[in-house]
Amino acid sequence: MARGLSAQQALLRLRQDGYNELPPARNRTILRIAAGVMREPMFLLLMGAGGVYLVLGDSGDALLLLGFVGMTMAITIFQERKTERVLETLRDLSSPRALVVRDGQFVRIPGREVVKGDVLVLEEGARVAADGILLESHDLLIDESLLTGESLAVSKQAGAGQNAAPAGQVYSGTMVAQGGGLAQVSAIGGATEIGKIGGALQALPDSASPLQAEIAMLVRRFAAIGIALSLLMAILYGWIRHDALNGFLAGVTLAMSILPEEFMVILTVFMALGAWRISKNQVLTRHTPVIEALGSATVLCTDKTGTLTENRMSVRALVRGPERIELDAGTTAAGLPAFAQELLDFAALASEIVPFDPMEQAIQRRARQCLAGADDSRRAWTIVHDYPLTADIMAMTHVWQLADQPGHVVASKGAPEAIIQLCKLRPEQAAPILAQVAALAAQGMRVLAVARAAHAGPVWPDTPHGFAFSWLGLLGLADPIRASVSQAVAECHRAGIRVIMITGDYPLTAQAIAAQAGIAHTAAVSGDDVEALDDQALQELVRHANVFARIRPQQKLRLVHALRRNGEVVAMTGDGVNDAPALKAAHIGIAMGSRGTDVAREAASLVLLNDDFAAIVVTVRLGRRIYDNLRKALTYVVAVHLPIAGMSLLPLLLGSPLVFFPVHIVFLEMIINPACAIVFEAEAAEADSMQRPPRAIGQPLFGRRNVWLAVLQGSGLLALLALAFFGSIYYDVAEAQARALAFAVLVVGNLILIVGNRSEQRSFLALLASPNQAQWWIGGGGLGALFLVLQVPFLQRIFHFAAIAPRGWLWLLLAAALAIAWFELLKHLFRAPPETAA
């Protein structure tokens, strides 16, 4: 086998040639972000208001507004750069990995670190990381549809060097559909075939997710209302008060108070940071819209090996006839009888040379441990033909050419029932074997059978049935269940999520593992049972069956469709090439990161980096938290904008002086923007987030309940503002003092609203005591800035304020207490019962 590059050579070539990646299609630099900010409606409104102040000769207000423009741009750039960095980190995590040979060892590295001259190991289901020339090939078929559009896989053969193109070359981005081989990298990055035509391979824009569509609809509605009211206010003000420029300012103020510019910021930040938080728990989010579906999952379909179990597969038992050998870490060849050595030897011969499957890896490890010198004696042996595992024959067969000897050795391993058929055993011979299989499976072991044959060649039979196989025995492989699984399954049950185990293993093995995991079941449904049912009968079966065994990949797809027809929201795990359709069909496809193929990972929305079932449950909990907090943030935004808009309209309707100007709205936005994007995003999950049923898939994020809650919260705050301002005017308080008091009530009420809306269940005092660092930074900064604009003469003039009288401060304290009481009363009235909370 080729030794490949040394680590030092690879590092030198990486420095010379750069990374194996295509130039990014879109580079979000600071200048691009700034240009995007300048096109935002809020920015244009601020610039327009600043221009009007300059025309009016009020340079102080104009300069302050322009200063706020700079602050707004700085905050937006900071938030967007933070989001971009998070997304870049997630893209790095999601980049394909490549198996290469370096210093004679197999090493798995990020695909972007592959260099020219590297030797790529081509595995079934893996995406080719770079263009290369084949050095070895074994029944290699490559799916080149990404480059050619041809759906049929192309046969590849090694040996013709550079002149073999295209039959002797592989290309970056294509997929290994069958077989395997070795290829030496000839081009990377932009020099590859896919790099040369990269412009034609730009991905189509993704369609909007349901949540994105709902947010966009809210934005359009609020924008339409805001524009209509702003135009109406500007016209009425100019007509009634004969002052067009101040009418324009009044219209701008109202537009700024209504425009929901925070909505899309909230969604972007929540989804990006949510994906980042999920990745901290070893789960990669490949498509952020899946976060919406996590809280709606009603069924979690999981495989067994490596997900419920630790993926520490080991050969623990060897059985032939009445003889049974138990193996442990200290077992050597000296302690094994001849039958056990032969059984283990042929199990290794029937496995891949470079095993990918955990069972084959366990067999090879045990063979190296117990068959001393076997590797050395076989170095000159060659696989000359093989028969892959199929749906009809659940066994893998390898034909070996012996070094300098005539004839061939044939080794086969697979499901006991398949090997029994290959050996053509009679029912009375098969019965005791099946009893042994049942005994091993009842102990939670996965059971394989092994057979051998000899063949003169060189004409091969069409199927393994053409060989004269002899029965060698059974292997029992054990894989302990993960310690966290039973608790995670119990948490799923409390959260209203059914856990279904779907495995290719023996039914009794599946039932034993299901019992240990706490998955409720009466019996295991086999793949043959599934195959015998029509779609309607299968739909009824999946309503109550929770354990499926001996399931083939295409049957997984049928199970997903049956569950979906029953109205379930399905999360499905998978790792193989043939699992991709089921992963794509599920609402939430979850691929294995450690042992999953590139095909499975690309079909899935989530990737478990450590293949741990408990991580799925943690992700569901985080998904519910993100959705809850997103709803709280939107409720807060609507609630806080209502009193601002109301106090922009009421003075015109009542013929009183204007309360707020653009400078006041911008001050409030300095609090609102970070509050909705940071405070609520960082809020911990509600205590009952995993003790309530899943959210209905069609349930709107911002439903009628949330609309009424936001309206009543905002209306209560508007009433306090109106009392503060119009009450002061009624008692002949100066306009500037009344404005200062109303603004102080609004700022304090806004901060109280932030705290109160952090939780739908905890009280205001409890929330003050619970940690949320962003809350204190924003609250402290807001109160500090409010004190300055109320007390510093220069700022008083710019904000059109005057010092608040002592009784005004008393009213401010009373208004704060009333706001707390009103928000707490609404929280109690709108608190959803536990069984319907969402």
Side-chain angles (χ1 to χ4, degrees), residues 374-388:
D375 284 348
D376 295 333
S377 65
R378 298 247 173 74
R379 289 193 186 279
W381 288 32
T382 307
I383 294 181
V384 292
H385 197 66
D386 68 354
Y387 298 86

Side-chain angles (χ1 to χ4, degrees), residues 333-513:
L336 288 181
F339 93 86
Q341 294 189 38
E342 182 185 31
L343 175 56
L344 197 53
D345 189 14
F346 274 81
L349 288 173
S351 301
E352 294 291 350
I353 299 173
V354 182
F356 180 69
D357 183 84
M359 289 188 298
E360 293 193 340
Q361 292 174 351
I363 291 169
Q364 297 282 25
R365 280 196 305 270
R366 186 64 77 178
R368 285 193 297 270
Q369 175 188 339
C370 297
L371 303 176
D375 284 348
D376 295 333
S377 65
R378 298 247 173 74
R379 289 193 186 279
W381 288 32
T382 307
I383 294 181
V384 292
H385 197 66
D386 68 354
Y387 298 86
L389 182 144
T390 66
D392 297 325
I393 305 175
M394 300 288 285
M396 177 182 288
T397 303
H398 285 169
V399 182
W400 291 82
Q401 172 69 60
L402 281 66
D404 302 324
Q405 295 181 34
H408 302 86
V409 171
V410 185
S412 185
K413 74 167 188 343
E417 51 268 39
I419 301 297
I420 286 172
Q421 290 180 4
L422 290 178
C423 293
K424 301 177 178 61
L425 299 183
R426 297 188 301 276
E428 61 271 19
Q429 294 173 306
I433 293 174
L434 293 176
Q436 292 170 335
V437 171
L440 291 170
Q443 297 175 8
M445 291 191 192
R446 189 158 193 173
V447 186
L448 295 177
V450 182
R452 68 172 295 175
H455 188 72
V459 179
W460 314 113
D462 293 334
T463 71
H465 286 289
F467 295 112
F469 279 109
S470 300
W471 178 266
L472 291 183
L474 301 171
L475 286 83
L477 296 102
D479 188 9
I481 192 168
R482 294 180 185 268
S484 58
V485 162
S486 59
Q487 182 178 348
V489 170
E491 188 170 8
C492 282
H493 292 160
R494 289 193 296 271
I497 302 171
R498 256 177 82 199
V499 179
I500 297 177
M501 186 171 76
I502 302 175
T503 178
D505 217 333
Y506 197 72
L508 286 176
T509 305
Q511 291 186 73
I513 297 298

